[in-house]
Each structure stands twice: as C-alpha cells, then as structure tokens.
Amino acid sequence: MRGPLGAVIGRYPSSDGTTEIGGIIRHNRKCRDIVFLVIFIAFWVAMIVNSSFGFNQGNPLRLTYGLDYKGNLCGDKHAHPGLRKLELKYWLNPNQVYQSGVKDSQFKLSNARSICLWDCPTPSEDSLNWVCDYPEGDIRLSMHDWISRNYDYYEFLTPEMRNTSLQLQGPCYPVIFPSVNVYWSCQFIARASNISLRHWQQMGGVNINEDMVIDKSIHRSINSRSSVLKRYMADIGKSWPVLIVCGGMLPLFLSVIWLLMIRHFVSAMPWITVALFNILIITVTMFYYLKAGWIGNDAISPIIGEHDPYINVFGRELHHLRAVAILMTFVMVVSILTSIAIVRRILMATSVLKVAAKVIGEVQALIIFPIIPYAILAIFYMFWISAALHLFSSGQVVKNNCNTNCCAYDLVAKKVNCDGCCGYSIHYTPHIAVAIFFHLFGGYWATQFFIACSSTVIAGSVASYYWARGETSPEIPFLPVFASMKRLIRYNLGSVALGSLVVSFVESIRFMLESIRRKLKVAGVTSDGWFGKIGNHTSQGCLRCVEWTIKSVNRNAYIMIAITGKSFFKASEIATELIMNNILRIGKVNVIGDVILFLGKLCVSLSSAVFGFLMLDTYKYRAAHNKISSPLLPVLICWALGYVVATLFFAVVEMSIDTIILSFCQDSEEHQGTAQYAPPLLIETLGDQNEMQRLTQ
C-alpha cells in the first residue's frame, strides 16, 4: 500500500489540523531506471555506426537510375565513360529483350546489353536509325559528339563491324521499335516500324521478333516489387522540399495557431475542429480519386516527358493509389458518422478544454516549449531520412553469374567477344535488411522518446500549477517549464527511455506479425474460411488494443514520474490504481477530451497532406527531371510528420488535462474524498456539486 504523496508534491492539512508545508514537486528524488538509459545511449551509438555504413556504401541515385552493361550507374559523371546527364537505360538488342520474356527462358533481362542515353530513340520515318555502343577503340568520337550524332556512328564502321551489326552483335544496333521513358528506362512499344524493318531486311539483317513479349519483358522488370519499392524511396529524396514545408513548417504554424485559439476561443474550438476535420478528410479522399484517375483526367502516369498520347503504360503505383482511395473512402464515411455521433458530447469537451486553457494562460511558457523538442526532432529526422535513403541503396554492384551464350563486338579488343555477356546488378546481402530494420526501429524509438520527454516536462509544469491551488504562487518556480526540464534530465531520462522502448517493442511485434500474415496470405497458407478470417481479424484487433492500452498507461505513467519521481513501473502502478478508483468520475470527461484532441491532430496532419498534394502537383514533380512515381509515400510522410509535430504541441493541452485529473484523483484520495487543491472550474467540470458549493462558501 503506497503512502500519501501530498507531503512531497505540495502542502495539505494533516490529520491533527496543522499544515504540513513542503516544496511543490520538490522532494527527495533520485535517478531511476539507469540501466535503460545506458541501453538507450548504446543504441544511439549503434544507430550512428549503422548509419555510417549506409553513408559509406549507399548511393541514393541507385534508387532511380539503372546500370549499363559495364556496371556503371546511369547519370554518374565519374563513370568510365562519363555518363553525366545520360540517365535513361536503353536495351540495345531487341532479340535479347524478347528472349528474356519468353516463358521458361534462362536468359534474364539484367544480362541483356544496355547503355545509358540522353533520351529514348525513335524509328525514322524514311530510313533506318542506329544506336551504337559507347565510342571506344578506333571510333574517335567524344561522348559529346556521340550524343550530338544521336548515338549513331554506323558510317564510320569497318565492313567487319557492319557485318556483326547486321547479326545484332554490335557495335551498332537498329532502332526498330519506338520507346518511351518509363521511370528512366526506355520501355519498348511492341509496334515495329514497317519502314525501319524493311530497310533492315534489305540490308540483310537477321530476323527480329515482333511479339508482344518484347513489351511485357521490360514492363515486368520495371514493375517488379523491388523496383517499385526503390522508386517509392527515391520519391522521398526528390520531394525533400515538400517534406520540409508540409511536414515541418506548416504543422508547426497550424499547431501554434490551434493552441492560441484554445487559449482565447475555447468554447468554439471543438465545433471548429470537428467541422474542419470532416472537410479535410473529404478533400484528401478526393485528391486520391483524382490521382487514381476516377475523377477527371489527372491520373498519375509512369511516362516521363512528352510522348504519343495514344501510348498508355500502367504501373503498380496506380493500383496502390486506387487501393488507398478505397480505404480512404471507408475511413471518410466512418469518420463523418462518428463525428455526428459525438455532437451531443461536444459541450462536455468544451468544459474540460476550459481547464486546459486556464492552465495555458497561467503557465504561458507551455505554448512555446514544444518548439524545443520540435527543433531536436527536425534535426534528427533530416539525419535519419538521409541515412535511410543510403541504407536502402547500400547494395554492391556485382557481375551476374549467367550461363547464356551471346556475343557482342568489343571495340577495344577489335573482335567479337562471347565471354562477357553477363550484365550487372545490385546485390543486397541479408545484413542490409537487418540494418534497415534496426534503423526503422531506432527512428520509431527516438520519436517516442522525444515525445515522452516533452510530455513529462509539460506534466511537471502543470502539476506545479495544480498543487498551488490553481493560482500563481511564489512556490511555483519562476520558470516551471525549465524547472521541470531540469528534473527530467537529472533524474528521469531512464524511465522515459524505458516507457518509449515498451511502446516501440510492442509496435515492432505487431509490424512483424502483420508482415508474416501477409506473406502467408500470398503463399496461400492461411485459411479462407470463416474461422480463419475471424481469427485473423480478432488477432489484429487484440494487438491494436494492447498497443492502445500501453500507450495510455505510458502517458499516465509519465505524469506520475513528473510528480513523484518514481521509476517507470512504479509510476504506472500508481497511475493505474488512481484511474481505476476514479474511472466513473473522470472517464467520460477524459475520453471526450481525448477524442477532440485526436481530431485536432488529424486536422493538422490532414492539412499537411492536402498541401503536400498541391505542391507535388506542380510541373517540377509531374513532368520535369524530379518527377516522382507517385504522390502516395511523400504525402503519407507529410501526414506522419504533421501528426508527430501536432502531438508535440497538442501534448500541452492533452497532458494538462490528464495531469490535472490525476492530481485531482490523488488529492481526493489523500483527503478522504475531498479535493483540497482543485480549481473550481475543474470541480464544476467533473460534476461534483457538493465540493463546488463548499469551495464557493
């Protein structure tokens, strides 16, 4: 049975009628959960080492551009030969492309001879165009002249070279099929030019396959899961200005505005929040419908630059957008119906928000305090996202191991070489996957840690206000926020590290189980019957309930850590006991207040998503050099960053309400059910008319 806390967190009348005086939030504290602070520091050291590996081995350009037959990255100015601005991958031999697409063929597209070009070649309307290999050996052309000649030096070839070119062995290859730039690779269109094909046949060229397979082979490679994942990661790097503006600056501005409006227009804010949330959720859903092509003609296209309007190429990204549009439709309907259902409870939310507004008015430093953790998180995210891009691209360029028989003319050796057919690819070892997972876990843990630190500081500041009877008092430190920060840094960082670790660990377990479930579903192992589906949905619901419960317990534990200085588990025990003893008294008030605050966070994050859509809809990201494959991931990250920033600032209100309610429960418990320190506004909110009358008298 725990003892009373009043003697160490404030002052209260003792049983003999005298007054016990103690410093507010000042008592005999000591460092708690030091082991977990050491673990957290060690984890950060490991994060730095892990990120340094990514910075050393990775190259984010690999996420966008392909490799040529020499293993050079397209667009790499340091390659040999220099490939500056030659960013498009083009397959020279159409028969090799066809062979790679034939069913049961051992030949892979990654081994087909490819080079890097400025633009995708097109067949001539009256003759035969050629694309020749990089100029080397006896071909005395600079790369600039080679580009200026549209990659064609067929007229300079010796008779032997011309003969091998007609055998599709190079160094020059005919342009028979039109091609378009699809995600920086030249996608063949299986519609051979009759004029070019006739010239090729008249010159004695070998037979060229014209089947649709030549189209599908490249299309299948471009739309593989690994290629789509790389493009999504590349989209993050290309859209970094959008992430800074819509994921950082905009939610900061909106969150501060929301806090100021809570301070001065508290009665209207619940209504404004609910209405704005419904408008924003509908707007975001409509944007997804636009980009999915279900409204208007603004669907995303994988083709980069100008092209024949009759050429249509579809990618996985469009299917993903349509799936998200369907999901958002369901979320929108549920959200609107839920907001209608809570209209009658909004007046109760107004009452509890008034308590928080009064606290913010008394401890005004709370409004600007979240800027400190915001700045720390902003610096951390810039480092973390950059390291993530390098880790995702940190594979090694290795030569493929192939047994195919193919030959190509070697300009340096001046002969046909049949030994160097194998192409190059990027090889990812299993330890890279572990490093990526470690990096993702570290990012989530760090985010939870900084949010927890911010919440604990706010809780300590608000507790000082409560135990001074809700009025300004000489016993409250001149700067309660900084006094609370000092206590956190000196005594409680280990407890906060432990609490954030628990949340991160549970979330990681849920993520891994979800990944296993998806793999089993793809493999066809899971049951399609009713029992299988019920078990699946039940397990997911249970995991989400566990996650929500732990987050709720953590938040209350941080409050008791700030007030009592206890360890994490002891503080959790105290907070849980207080809540369970007063669940009927405070439950209805706290739940409705949390719902309004949650809707407020969603308003900020959805606003970030809307502005992210608008910025990504400009020419720079739709058709120019920085074209993104899909707005899906950048918008999702803008939403997530906006939600994190809103959480930091809304914690001022959220933690103010929770801290005062927990302090009220503790106050009542120590004084035989009569709260001695509660402000009248709080007692009125909780509906205790007897105490209200007593305090008024």
Side-chain angles (χ1 to χ4, degrees):
M1 184 69 181
R2 71 174 193 277
L5 301 178
V8 294
I9 59 179
R11 59 181 186 178
Y12 67 96
S14 62
S15 57
D16 60 1
T18 61
T19 301
E20 301 282 350
I21 299 178
I24 298 175
I25 318 297
R26 296 178 182 175
H27 56 283
N28 186 23
R29 291 176 177 250
K30 62 180 181 180
C31 295
R32 306 283 186 178
D33 300 316
I34 301 176
V35 174
F36 292 96
L37 178 59
V38 173
I39 293 175
F40 184 73
I41 294 173
F43 192 89
W44 266 86
V45 173
M47 277 274 291
I48 294 173
V49 174
N50 189 55
S51 300
S52 64
F53 164 78
F55 285 119
N56 184 44
Q57 299 292 330
N59 182 359
L61 292 178
R62 294 176 184 170
L63 301 172
T64 301
Y65 307 117
L67 302 175
D68 66 6
Y69 74 93
K70 294 186 175 184
N72 297 321
L73 181 69
C74 291
D76 185 4
K77 62 181 180 182
H78 301 296
H80 181 72
L83 301 177
R84 184 173 179 270
K85 294 186 177 181
L86 300 179
E87 299 168 339
L88 274 67
K89 182 176 183 177
Y90 178 75
W91 286 270
L92 292 168
N93 191 333
N95 277 0
Q96 287 183 343
V97 176
Y98 172 83
Q99 186 180 355
S100 67
V102 175
K103 188 177 181 180
D104 299 328
S105 173
Q106 299 297 318
F107 190 84
K108 296 182 179 180
L109 185 64
S110 58
N111 294 320
R113 199 171 186 83
S114 60
I115 60 175
C116 303
L117 303 180
W118 175 279
D119 54 3
C120 291
T122 55
S124 173
E125 296 181 356
D126 53 7
S127 61
L128 178 62
N129 287 344
W130 299 84
V131 172
C132 301
D133 201 348
Y134 302 130
E136 294 178 304
D138 291 338
I139 306 300
R140 308 294 182 181
L141 285 177
S142 65
M143 291 294 289
H144 181 269
D145 293 335
W146 175 66
I147 297 171
S148 300
R149 297 178 59 87
N150 290 326
Y151 328 108
D152 182 1
Y153 52 74
Y154 182 80
E155 61 182 280
F156 299 142
L157 299 184
T158 63
E160 179 189 5
M161 293 180 185
R162 293 191 179 191
N163 182 55
T164 56
S165 295
L166 293 174
Q167 302 299 316
L168 287 180
Q169 295 178 348
C172 292
Y173 298 82
V175 181
I176 303 297
F177 298 94
S179 58
V180 292
N181 180 358
V182 177
Y183 297 134
W184 310 103
S185 293
C186 291
Q187 163 80 61
F188 284 169
I189 306 299
R191 196 168 59 210
S193 168
N194 294 328
I195 296 176
S196 298
L197 196 59
R198 185 168 63 250
H199 278 83
W200 170 256
Q201 293 170 346
Q202 290 173 354
M203 296 174 68
V206 298
N207 181 57
I208 292 179
N209 296 292
E210 304 177 51
D211 196 89
M212 282 290 293
V213 172
I214 197 171
D215 183 333
K216 294 179 180 179
S217 177
I218 297 178
H219 185 74
R220 187 164 52 246
S221 173
I222 293 175
N223 281 286
S224 65
R225 291 184 178 181
S226 59
S227 298
V228 173
L229 177 61
K230 288 180 181 179
R231 288 199 293 272
Y232 277 144
M233 294 303 300
D235 290 343
I236 298 174
K238 293 176 183 178
S239 59
W240 64 265
V242 179
L243 301 184
I244 291 177
V245 173
C246 298
M249 299 172 64
L250 180 64
L252 169 64
F253 173 76
L254 294 177
S255 298
V256 172
I257 293 297
W258 198 90
L259 285 182
L260 291 175
M261 292 184 70
I262 278 288
R263 173 70 183 91
H264 298 287
F265 307 101
V266 63
S267 298
M269 280 310 294
W271 300 98
I272 295 174
T273 301
V274 172
L276 186 60
F277 167 73
N278 288 324
I279 294 172
L280 288 171
I281 194 80
I282 294 173
T283 303
V284 171
T285 304
M286 291 302 103
F287 267 116
Y288 277 113
Y289 271 74
L290 283 170
K291 292 304 174 183
W294 288 341
I295 297 179
N297 299 311
D298 198 26
I300 61 170
S301 171
I303 301 177
I304 301 173
E306 297 181 358
H307 62 280
D308 188 339
Y310 294 101
I311 296 177
N312 294 315
V313 180
F314 295 96
R316 280 177 178 263
E317 288 84 352
L318 183 62
H319 299 303
H320 294 167
L321 269 178
R322 288 177 175 176
V324 173
I326 295 173
L327 176 63
M328 286 300 299
T329 303
F330 174 76
V331 173
M332 178 185 69
V333 173
V334 173
S335 301
I336 293 175
L337 293 177
T338 304
S339 63
I340 294 174
I342 67 171
V343 166
R344 296 181 62 184
R345 300 286 184 176
I346 287 181
L347 291 177
M348 189 181 298
T350 303
S351 300
V352 76
L353 288 177
K354 286 181 180 179
V355 178
K358 182 169 178 59
V359 176
I360 296 173
E362 296 292 346
V363 190
Q364 297 184 2
L366 287 175
I367 295 181
I368 62 173
F369 161 73
I371 293 178
I372 298 175
Y374 167 84
I376 296 174
L377 268 179
I379 296 172
F380 168 74
Y381 279 144
M382 285 189 286
F383 161 80
W384 187 83
I385 292 176
S386 177
L389 293 175
H390 282 81
L391 280 172
F392 269 93
S393 60
S394 58
Q396 294 182 340
V397 178
V398 296
K399 192 165 187 176
N400 298 332
N401 183 17
C402 63
N403 298 318
T404 54
N405 295 319
C406 58
C407 302
Y409 194 90
D410 190 333
L411 287 171
V412 176
K414 300 180 182 179
K415 65 177 183 178
V416 175
N417 185 1
C418 297
D419 298 329
C421 267
C422 298
Y424 287 81
S425 59
I426 301 176
H427 178 64
Y428 295 92
T429 56
H431 78 274
I432 295 179
V434 175
I436 291 173
F437 178 79
F438 183 84
H439 190 72
L440 294 175
F441 178 82
Y444 190 79
W445 187 8
T447 300
Q448 293 298 321
F449 176 80
F450 289 123
I451 291 176
C453 287
S454 176
S455 300
T456 306
V457 170
I458 294 170
S461 305
V462 175
S464 297
Y465 163 83
Y466 179 90
W467 293 100
R469 299 186 184 277
E471 301 292 342
T472 55
S473 168
E475 294 181 15
I476 298 182
F478 177 71
L479 292 175
V481 172
F482 291 101
S484 185
M485 288 176 61
K486 180 181 177 181
R487 290 193 298 272
L488 169 70
I489 295 172
R490 186 173 179 182
Y491 300 111
N492 303 123
L493 283 179
S495 300
V496 172
L498 173 56
S500 56
L501 175 61
V502 170
V503 174
S504 304
F505 183 75
V506 171
E507 185 69 16
S508 300
I509 294 294
R510 192 174 70 84
F511 174 78
M512 288 189 291
L513 292 177
E514 179 66 16
S515 300
I516 294 173
R517 185 191 67 82
R518 289 180 179 275
K519 289 184 178 180
L520 292 176
K521 185 176 180 180
V522 171
V525 178
T526 56
S527 174
D528 293 330
W530 282 102
F531 287 106
K533 292 180 179 179
I534 291 173
N536 176 35
H537 292 299
T538 302
S539 61
Q540 292 186 54
C542 290
L543 285 173
R544 290 189 179 276
C545 288
V546 170
E547 178 192 358
W548 180 85
T549 302
I550 289 178
K551 286 184 177 180
S552 179
V553 170
N554 274 18
R555 191 173 67 186
N556 293 313
Y558 297 146
I559 295 172
M560 300 313 296
I561 287 171
I563 295 176
T564 67
K566 300 292 184 181
S567 64
F568 174 77
F569 290 115
K570 184 63 177 177
S572 301
E573 178 188 348
I574 296 173
T576 304
E577 185 179 344
L578 282 174
I579 293 173
M580 295 306 296
N581 291 340
N582 297 271
I583 188 67
L584 296 178
R585 196 176 196 184
I586 67 174
K588 60 179 182 179
V589 175
N590 206 18
V591 169
I592 296 299
D594 284 348
V595 168
I596 296 299
L597 291 173
F598 177 67
L599 292 181
K601 295 176 191 177
L602 289 180
C603 284
V604 173
S605 56
L606 288 173
S607 298
S608 299
V610 169
F611 279 89
F613 266 120
L614 293 174
M615 288 190 67
L616 292 171
D617 203 37
T618 58
Y619 177 80
K620 177 180 179 180
Y621 300 107
R622 291 184 59 185
H625 183 77
N626 284 327
K627 174 182 171 68
I628 60 173
S629 64
S630 169
L632 181 60
L633 194 58
V635 166
L636 182 62
I637 292 179
C638 285
W639 176 87
L641 292 176
Y643 190 84
V644 170
V645 173
T647 299
L648 289 175
F649 282 85
F650 282 47
V652 172
V653 178
E654 197 169 21
M655 296 302 290
S656 295
I657 295 172
D658 291 347
T659 302
I660 287 181
I661 288 178
L662 276 182
S663 298
F664 174 84
C665 296
Q666 179 62 42
D667 190 8
S668 299
E669 193 167 298
E670 290 186 9
H671 300 97
Q672 294 77 41
T674 302
Q676 296 289 329
Y677 293 85
L681 182 59
L682 175 62
I683 298 177
E684 180 183 7
T685 301
L686 295 177
D688 196 330
Q689 297 299 327
N690 293 332
E691 291 194 25
M692 185 63 192
Q693 293 175 4
R694 183 186 62 78
L695 288 177
T696 303
Q697 293 173 359

